[in-house]
Amino acid sequence: MCGIAGYISRTGLLDPAVLEQMQAKVTHRGPDGEGSWTDPVAGLAFAHTRLKIQDLTDAAYQPMRSADGGVVLIFNGEIYNFQQLREELRATGSAFKSTGDTEVLLELCRRYPDFSFLPRLNGMFAFAAWHTATRTLTLVRDRTGVKPLLYAPLTGGLAFASEMAALRPAMSGSTIDPRAVVQLLTLGFIAAPKTIFHRVCKLRPGHLLRYRDDGMTVEKWAADPPTLPGTDDFHEACEQLRGLVAD
């Protein structure tokens, strides 16, 4: 588990204390290290707290920038098939300095800015990627929403984070949504994209958010799971279920 947080503001960077406070609120998610990156021209700020799982060296620290400086990434989660993806990228000219999954994801973002690679990822993840050429901030959440990702509009911008508490430093006031309270008390949870606060949303599982100079869009990237052929044989059905659970 790692923590991510950040914002983009068309009016310029917020007070440096804002990003520091956002990062502090996700420190418990990543006690093994922290990093931040800002682009004053774009009004963009990224913060990351790291839990070391794959590559334990400094080569895997985040925020991570591509060699050409065109993409910046902060990532929470794990890509289970990253080794296969890395070998495919190497075969077509990519070079890697680290041994973990973050740099593989970064290279995929660099090569495929349309994020057409997402269906190939096997894992649990929430990440934010910045493409400098198109001035596009993209937030992505895994198919089943294992990793959390929240966002909230700012005046002329957008803030995002792994947890609600990390959003609050960037927001100028927030009020409880009574309809969300009703959902919580009747259902035991608040259905996405709602949260307990007005203006704060959960990014739905299997969705991505793009924020550009011309506005924000949210779309579904994950295809519906394939339907298995039915069977009347109990043992065959058990084997199909074991395979799905194992995967």
Side-chain angles (χ1 to χ4, degrees):
M1 182 170 68
C2 297
I4 64 174
Y7 66 82
I8 185 167
S9 171
R10 292 196 185 103
T11 58
L13 292 177
L14 305 179
D15 187 300
V18 170
L19 188 63
E20 293 173 5
Q21 292 168 12
M22 295 177 75
Q23 186 175 54
K25 294 298 184 180
V26 290
T27 297
H28 63 282
R29 300 181 63 90
D32 297 331
E34 61 183 38
S36 62
W37 176 85
T38 60
D39 182 341
V41 175
L44 183 74
F46 276 0
H48 183 267
T49 59
R50 183 185 181 199
L51 178 67
K52 295 180 180 179
I53 295 178
Q54 294 289 348
D55 187 335
L56 306 184
T57 70
D58 290 352
Y61 264 95
Q62 301 180 50
M64 186 177 287
R65 297 185 67 187
S66 60
D68 61 4
V71 183
V72 186
L73 174 74
I74 47 176
F75 162 55
N76 168 34
E78 186 173 359
I79 309 300
Y80 304 136
N81 61 335
F82 80 94
Q83 293 177 329
Q84 173 192 343
L85 296 170
R86 182 175 60 196
E87 292 311 309
E88 292 176 6
L89 290 167
R90 274 180 172 161
T92 52
S94 296
F96 296 92
K97 298 179 180 179
S98 64
T99 60
D101 51 359
T102 304
E103 193 175 10
V104 173
L105 181 58
L106 176 68
E107 178 65 2
L108 288 168
C109 291
R110 188 190 70 83
R111 282 206 186 188
Y112 307 102
D114 61 353
F115 291 86
S116 58
F117 66 87
L118 287 173
R120 299 202 59 207
L121 298 183
N122 180 0
M124 52 180 181
F125 48 85
F127 66 86
W130 171 250
H131 286 80
T132 58
T134 58
R135 291 175 54 86
T136 303
L137 171 66
T138 307
L139 308 180
V140 181
R141 195 173 180 203
D142 64 65
R143 292 172 181 81
T144 54
V146 176
K147 294 302 180 182
L149 191 53
L150 306 169
Y151 65 93
L154 305 177
T155 301
L158 182 82
F160 65 91
S162 297
E163 298 188 11
M164 183 73 75
L167 276 180
R168 301 294 294 280
M171 298 174 62
S172 57
S174 53
T175 57
I176 298 291
D177 182 350
R179 292 173 298 179
V181 174
V182 171
Q183 281 195 1
L184 182 61
L185 295 177
T186 56
L187 303 177
F189 67 95
I190 300 171
K194 280 185 177 296
T195 69
I196 196 69
F197 290 110
H198 284 294
R199 299 174 56 243
V200 179
C201 296
K202 303 168 189 170
L203 184 62
R204 292 177 186 268
H207 282 66
L208 65 82
L209 179 156
R210 287 190 178 94
Y211 188 93
R212 302 185 178 97
D213 291 334
D214 59 356
M216 183 184 82
T217 59
V218 178
E219 62 187 75
K220 184 178 180 180
W221 65 263
D224 292 330
T227 301
L228 293 175
T231 177
D232 294 327
D233 184 272
F234 177 76
H235 296 291
E236 183 179 348
C238 288
E239 287 305 311
Q240 287 184 2
L241 181 59
R242 285 193 187 95
L244 292 170
V245 173
D247 186 57

